[in-house]
Amino acid sequence: MARTPERDGGASARRAAARPRRRPTIQDLAQAAGISPSTASRALSGNGYVAAEVRARVIAAAEQIGYVPDGNARSLRSRTSRAVGVLISDIRNPFYANLAAGIEEQLRSAGYHVIVVNNDGQPEAEVEGARTFMAVRVSAAIITPVSNRAVRMLMNDGVAVVQADRMVDGATSDGVLVDNVQGAQEITGHLVGLGHTAIALLIDETDWTTGAGRLAGYRAALRSAGLPMDPALVVPTRFQPEAARSAVNALLDRRPDVTALFAANNMLAEGAFQALRLRGLRVPEDLSLVAFDDVPWMSMVSPGITTVDQHTDQLGRTCAQLVVDRLEGPATEAATVRYIEPSVVVRGSTGPPRTLLPASAEGPASTVSRRTVTPGPRRRPTR
Amino acid sequence: MARTPERDGGASARRAAARPRRRPTIQDLAQAAGISPSTASRALSGNGYVAAEVRARVIAAAEQIGYVPDGNARSLRSRTSRAVGVLISDIRNPFYANLAAGIEEQLRSAGYHVIVVNNDGQPEAEVEGARTFMAVRVSAAIITPVSNRAVRMLMNDGVAVVQADRMVDGATSDGVLVDNVQGAQEITGHLVGLGHTAIALLIDETDWTTGAGRLAGYRAALRSAGLPMDPALVVPTRFQPEAARSAVNALLDRRPDVTALFAANNMLAEGAFQALRLRGLRVPEDLSLVAFDDVPWMSMVSPGITTVDQHTDQLGRTCAQLVVDRLEGPATEAATVRYIEPSVVVRGSTGPPRTLLPASAEGPASTVSRRTVTPGPRRRPTR
DNA sequence: CTGTTAGCGCATTCAA
DNA sequence: TTGAATGCGCTAACAG
């Protein structure tokens, strides 16, 4: 059963509270190695000349006495920092979680560490987070912005900023974006190719580059197919799944001619999926459903949801790489924006529109594994 | 469409690289407010006497010149830090994501910030993370331990450690655990109550307090029901869903008499669910499935998965609270361990065993909303 | 190649 | 109630 701390008595439990022992400083290290502090510093940091033999001795001594350089003192003196701030909306959302994971892994392997702040989509919390980053003197910050204030504050403060997933007006920084237009266009095109003509778009915002791009891609696909652009099929909703559920219900009550539904992100897809199920609609026989952003539940449900994979891990890693380039590379003048090429993942939630279906046709059996269509080139450097 | 940075020309783009402006220091602030640095320090930190009028003037001046105290200098001098390390296995797993989110929210509201390190379940990465925490001088660390090394290192270094979700031998610290025994016992009891007698437990480890507790709870439920304890029904597997899938397949090939399956965590449940679907088994008509840990896909699939809700958010917030108590409270001697009371969420994946079913019975329609059974007391202080 | 000197920005003595 | 002096631990100059 549970290993309880009582097991080992009070001796080490007492250590939990008190913290008396002074940490060894570089002075102690220098003394232990029989050299001066500055030589010890050079030996450990690798800056400046140190005899190989001496370096080895210092490293051994450091190991011996358990010396760990004080990052605060080091930052203070050297005016640099290995800390990078990550300011995201909601780490519970798998999109942000994967983004953060990609960032963290890449930065960790480059010798940086990450300070994570959730802002819950609140501009005030975002500014508060930026203030925290300034206080701890991060050298860079990666932000999925909700307003331009935090980005501006940080850039004014000399922090290297990378906007992730979306970019806001009035703040020019590096950025990594998904090609929302292409992803949306491609998946809408998939529906068009199946014969759909009344395709609704469920979307919560069109002010950010994400929503605007997805709407544009949706429209472009319809346009290039010569389909009518019915404004009533662009269904606004709030971000919560419950809101999306209501919006879908209202839409289907109003427009029984709709044969396909495109949910602009994973939250809306969740609500849409629930709405369809609660109405007892069969997917894809009665209605096809597609989404933007691939999250785990979409491949667990039957049929699986056809969606746009944003390669969120890669998005995160690319942000991290941009940070490292900016911090360690030459002092390039221009802000750079990279694009991630999304790809459509076709699962069982899409099929021909119902009017084209033979009376008693069965949908394709869904599979657990994903079939990716048009893997294509994964990355487009800049644009 | 996308708001590209080119929009605003090169002027501010140039700022992206260069960072010339010196940040205002407390000297600048003092000068601006017409007082000495030490008075400014007291005014902002609230330590020591400052005339109310002077404090107001300092705060106004700080706002005016954009002064943000340097956390590094402050930590260095005061030998304290508002940084807390969070060392978890895999932030992509919703369990850890929720844990981290709960921790971050609670700590942020208490004025701390978190440094997040993923260790991918690797002891070496865990030690590396601990070293990072030591280097940046966190005042506390919250860890889901994979070995006892990191915990010991940090405690030896005087860092307040909270072990989260599980505790390891050989390292005595504060901790927050889920009552795995009770959760497992309760959900196994649920199956027993439905009439199941051949219940398999799919489990990846029994060395940690988590696996050990869940196994113990499973056994306790069988014992108290007077059911035979068949060791062959405790099915070992590795942690990955694919491994779980194979293990379930092998089990069902070997033991056609099994009527219910208990997956000991969300990853194993994923594999188990896929295995059942790929075999074409109906849930719960052919086999009942339950899990430990409630993650989003479990309420999206049909039927929903009956599972143990660990209240992961609360787990995280409790860890954070323990940290704050330890850092700000009196220097209590004893390490404290809190328990989170899990609760069973009954969905559609459980029903009577197939031998008791009338030939052509249909399972209950699954619903999206959750029905929670025995909400009961949410928290038990200590144990 | 190594040691000495001098702060980084701040909070904390201690006097006033 | 305020100010002057003193390092926290480290690294960047500089001189050897």
Side-chain angles (χ1 to χ4, degrees):
Chain A
M1 246 202 64
R3 290 152 177 77
T4 53
E6 289 72 35
R7 179 79 62 86
D8 122 21
S12 54
R14 221 157 290 134
R15 264 199 323 235
R19 99 192 45 153
R21 266 181 15 287
R22 196 176 64 84
R23 276 188 255 250
T25 72
I26 202 167
Q27 297 272 5
D28 303 319
L29 174 61
Q31 197 159 1
I35 40 126
S36 77
S38 44
T39 301
S41 170
R42 283 186 298 249
L44 290 182
S45 71
N47 296 15
Y49 301 104
V50 182
E53 184 270 328
V54 174
R55 165 175 290 128
R57 189 144 43 93
V58 171
I59 290 174
E63 178 73 26
Q64 168 66 27
I65 68 174
Y67 171 74
V68 178
D70 184 321
N72 290 312
R74 192 177 263 194
S75 289
L76 183 60
R77 176 62 236 235
S78 67
R79 305 167 153 293
T80 63
S81 147
R82 307 299 286 181
V84 174
V86 173
L87 189 42
I88 59 186
S89 292
D90 175 18
I91 206 170
R92 293 180 177 87
N93 183 324
F95 169 74
Y96 292 105
N98 272 25
L99 178 68
I103 290 170
E104 195 273 340
E105 285 168 4
Q106 184 79 13
L107 282 181
R108 177 154 43 90
S109 76
Y112 295 83
H113 59 265
V114 157
I115 294 167
V116 174
V117 176
N118 253 30
N119 64 31
D120 307 311
Q122 307 292 321
E124 313 78 47
E126 186 183 37
V127 167
E128 202 45 54
R131 212 180 304 280
T132 298
F133 292 167
M134 291 169 60
V136 302
R137 301 306 196 240
V138 298
S139 52
I142 298 171
I143 307 184
T144 58
V146 311
S147 84
N148 65 19
R149 291 190 51 200
V151 176
R152 299 180 77 110
M153 282 175 60
L154 290 165
M155 297 203 53
N156 274 331
D157 198 52
V159 174
V161 173
V162 173
Q163 295 186 63
D165 178 55
R166 51 192 186 244
M167 297 190 79
V168 291
D169 274 331
T172 300
S173 73
D174 290 345
V176 182
L177 302 177
V178 172
D179 191 334
N180 291 289
V181 178
Q182 184 192 314
Q185 183 164 359
E186 205 171 303
I187 201 160
T188 307
H190 167 68
L191 291 170
V192 169
L194 287 168
H196 292 272
T197 55
I199 303 170
L201 173 66
L202 183 66
I203 192 161
D204 60 326
E205 56 81 20
T206 53
D207 294 330
W208 291 350
T209 53
T210 40
R214 292 167 202 183
L215 174 59
Y218 161 81
R219 284 187 173 146
L222 297 186
R223 192 182 318 116
S224 77
L227 289 175
M229 201 85 74
D230 185 345
L233 291 185
V234 175
V235 183
T237 171
R238 279 173 297 114
F239 182 60
Q240 292 72 21
E242 303 72 38
R245 213 155 69 199
S246 310
V248 168
N249 273 321
L251 167 71
L252 296 182
D253 289 342
R254 194 174 76 228
R255 292 293 298 260
D257 60 310
V258 167
T259 62
L261 187 54
F262 175 14
N265 64 50
N266 78 59
M267 299 286 275
L268 306 185
E270 186 174 326
F273 180 80
Q274 292 168 338
L276 301 187
R277 194 165 63 189
L278 289 173
R279 286 175 83 97
L281 291 174
R282 292 169 309 163
V283 174
E285 293 83 355
D286 296 325
L287 203 74
S288 284
L289 176 64
V290 303
F292 203 105
D293 193 22
D294 189 14
V295 297
W297 67 262
M298 295 182 182
S299 54
M300 296 299 290
V301 298
S302 300
I305 308 299
T306 296
T307 191
V308 178
D309 183 351
Q310 307 196 71
H311 305 300
T312 318
D313 275 73
Q314 188 196 336
L315 175 59
R317 284 195 300 273
T318 305
C319 290
Q321 194 51 54
L322 229 47
V323 159
V324 174
D325 291 349
R326 180 63 75 187
L327 295 179
E328 301 179 358
T332 317
E333 299 280 305
T336 72
V337 178
R338 289 211 206 296
Y339 280 81
I340 301 293
E341 201 79 3
S343 51
V344 170
V345 181
V346 176
R347 299 199 181 95
S349 70
T350 44
R354 57 178 171 275
T355 52
L356 297 183
L357 270 185
S360 66
E362 274 298 305
S366 73
T367 62
V368 167
S369 62
R370 304 169 179 184
R371 288 166 286 150
T372 300
V373 158
T374 59
R378 275 294 145 100
R379 195 182 301 199
R380 184 157 19 138
T382 49
R383 192 199 212 183
Chain B
M1 246 201 66
R3 291 150 178 78
T4 52
E6 288 71 34
R7 180 78 64 86
D8 116 23
S12 54
R14 220 157 292 135
R15 263 196 326 233
R19 103 192 42 156
R21 267 180 15 289
R22 197 176 61 84
R23 276 188 255 251
T25 72
I26 202 167
Q27 297 273 4
D28 303 319
L29 174 62
Q31 197 159 1
I35 40 117
S36 76
S38 39
T39 301
S41 171
R42 284 186 298 250
L44 291 182
S45 71
N47 297 15
Y49 299 105
V50 183
E53 183 270 328
V54 173
R55 163 174 292 129
R57 189 145 42 93
V58 171
I59 290 174
E63 178 73 26
Q64 168 66 26
I65 69 174
Y67 171 74
V68 178
D70 185 321
N72 290 313
R74 190 176 264 194
S75 289
L76 183 59
R77 176 62 234 238
S78 67
R79 306 166 153 294
T80 64
S81 146
R82 308 298 286 182
V84 174
V86 173
L87 189 41
I88 59 185
S89 293
D90 175 19
I91 206 170
R92 293 179 178 87
N93 184 324
F95 169 74
Y96 292 106
N98 271 25
L99 178 68
I103 291 170
E104 195 273 339
E105 285 168 4
Q106 185 79 14
L107 282 181
R108 176 153 44 90
S109 76
Y112 295 83
H113 58 265
V114 300
I115 294 166
V116 174
V117 176
N118 253 31
N119 63 30
D120 307 312
Q122 306 292 321
E124 313 79 46
E126 185 183 37
V127 167
E128 203 44 55
R131 211 180 305 279
T132 299
F133 293 167
M134 291 169 60
V136 302
R137 301 306 196 241
V138 298
S139 52
I142 299 171
I143 307 185
T144 58
V146 312
S147 83
N148 65 20
R149 291 190 51 200
V151 176
R152 298 180 78 109
M153 281 176 61
L154 289 165
M155 296 203 53
N156 274 331
D157 198 52
V159 173
V161 173
V162 173
Q163 296 185 63
D165 177 55
R166 52 193 185 243
M167 296 190 79
V168 291
D169 272 331
T172 300
S173 73
D174 291 344
V176 182
L177 302 177
V178 172
D179 191 333
N180 291 288
V181 179
Q182 182 191 314
Q185 182 163 1
E186 206 170 304
I187 201 159
T188 306
H190 167 68
L191 291 171
V192 169
L194 288 168
H196 293 271
T197 55
I199 304 171
L201 173 66
L202 182 67
I203 193 162
D204 59 326
E205 55 82 20
T206 54
D207 294 330
W208 291 350
T209 52
T210 41
R214 292 167 202 184
L215 174 59
Y218 161 81
R219 284 186 172 149
L222 298 186
R223 193 182 317 117
S224 79
L227 289 174
M229 201 87 71
D230 185 346
L233 291 185
V234 175
V235 182
T237 171
R238 279 173 298 115
F239 183 59
Q240 292 72 22
E242 303 72 37
R245 215 155 68 201
S246 311
V248 168
N249 273 321
L251 166 72
L252 295 182
D253 289 343
R254 193 174 78 227
R255 292 294 298 260
D257 59 311
V258 167
T259 61
L261 187 55
F262 175 13
N265 63 50
N266 78 59
M267 299 287 274
L268 305 185
E270 186 174 325
F273 179 80
Q274 292 167 337
L276 301 188
R277 194 165 62 189
L278 288 172
R279 287 176 83 98
L281 291 174
R282 293 167 311 162
V283 174
E285 293 84 352
D286 296 326
L287 203 74
S288 284
L289 175 64
V290 302
F292 203 106
D293 193 22
D294 189 14
V295 297
W297 67 262
M298 294 183 181
S299 54
M300 296 298 290
V301 299
S302 301
I305 309 298
T306 295
T307 190
V308 178
D309 183 350
Q310 307 197 71
H311 305 299
T312 319
D313 274 71
Q314 188 195 337
L315 175 59
R317 283 195 301 273
T318 305
C319 291
Q321 194 53 54
L322 229 47
V323 160
V324 173
D325 291 349
R326 180 63 75 187
L327 295 179
E328 301 179 358
T332 317
E333 298 281 304
T336 72
V337 178
R338 290 210 206 296
Y339 280 81
I340 302 292
E341 201 78 2
S343 50
V344 170
V345 181
V346 176
R347 299 200 180 95
S349 71
T350 45
R354 57 177 171 275
T355 52
L356 297 183
L357 270 184
S360 67
E362 275 298 306
S366 74
T367 61
V368 167
S369 62
R370 305 169 179 183
R371 287 166 288 148
T372 299
V373 158
T374 60
R378 277 293 146 101
R379 196 183 300 201
R380 181 153 26 132
T382 49
R383 193 197 207 181

